Amino acid sequence: MISKNHIKLIRSLELKKNRKREGLFVAEGPKVVGDLLRAGYQPRILFSTTERPDAELITEEELRKISFLQHPQEVLAVFEIPTHHPSPLTSHLSPLTSQLSLALDGVQDPGNLGTIIRIADWFGITTIYCSLDTADAYNPKVVQATMGSLAHVQVIYTDLLELFKSLPPSYPIYGTLLDGENIYEHQLTQEGVIVMGNEGNGISEAVRQHITDKLLIPDFHTDGLRAESLNVAIATAITCSEFRRRT
């Protein structure tokens, strides 16, 4: 039987301030929870509606009381938020380093962030640097949208301006901008940072000053009738795909 204290704790973790205070986050579903467990994430609490040796058995009614999903998925776990992430871009940077990273400048929508984490995982990008005003990666909606990819991708919150200032002048920082060069014609490298901006305002002016390579995803309409813009997660997928296709 699930205790009132557990219900109270789990429901409180919907809010960022409580996740930060407790150092905990919620994950749901066999796929998401399983990937996090295999990646070494430590569960503080693990509930399941089916018998499994590592979980406390609860009823479907009890699961509904603690789940953040419209349709609860059998397993719910409370994990410890990792307290330390090495920064591969700055601490291991060398002429031999060949890696691609993402930087998110003010991405606000939890669904977009979760999808971008999943996209990064698909394209073998293991590190995402987030501005301090980007949505919280441990928001239940983000965790669910990653479909387990949070277990494979480091999400590091940092001051992007300080991060970019610490890089060698020759290190490429790509940004998707309306005044950029056609991504399908621009030279791309195997290393660098790809910056994606806020859903409504794009890349901030301060971050834009550090962009070394401006990229544009062109539209292919000839009649002038087109969508106003691309969703940031879709734009991220297109950009990452083109980098991987050519490098």
Side-chain angles (χ1 to χ4, degrees), residues 95-117:
L96 300 178
T97 298
S98 178
Q99 64 177 7
L100 202 59
S101 303
L102 284 173
L104 305 183
D105 183 20
V107 172
Q108 295 292 302
D109 184 81
N112 282 338
L113 177 56
T115 302
I116 288 171
I117 293 171

Side-chain angles (χ1 to χ4, degrees), residues 156-171:
I156 301 172
Y157 286 82
T158 188
D159 183 324
L160 294 184
L161 299 181
E162 292 301 316
L163 174 66
F164 296 153
K165 288 176 184 176
S166 71
L167 298 175
S170 60
Y171 199 81

Side-chain angles (χ1 to χ4, degrees), residues 172-175 186-189 191 193-195 211 213 215 243:
I173 301 174
Y174 297 93
H186 191 84
Q187 182 177 352
L188 305 177
T189 61
E191 65 174 22
V193 186
I194 302 170
V195 183
I211 301 296
D213 294 74
L215 303 177
F243 268 84

Side-chain angles (χ1 to χ4, degrees), residues 127-153:
T127 306
I128 299 176
Y129 297 91
C130 294
S131 64
L132 300 178
D133 59 344
T134 291
D136 180 18
Y138 298 101
N139 179 312
K141 293 179 181 178
V142 176
V143 175
Q144 202 62 30
T146 71
M147 289 302 293
S149 289
L150 186 61
H152 313 137
V153 178

Side-chain angles (χ1 to χ4, degrees), residues 74-92:
E74 186 182 317
V75 180
L76 183 147
V78 176
F79 288 101
E80 297 177 7
I81 295 174
T83 56
H84 174 68
H85 284 300
S87 177
L89 186 60
T90 54
S91 61
H92 302 296

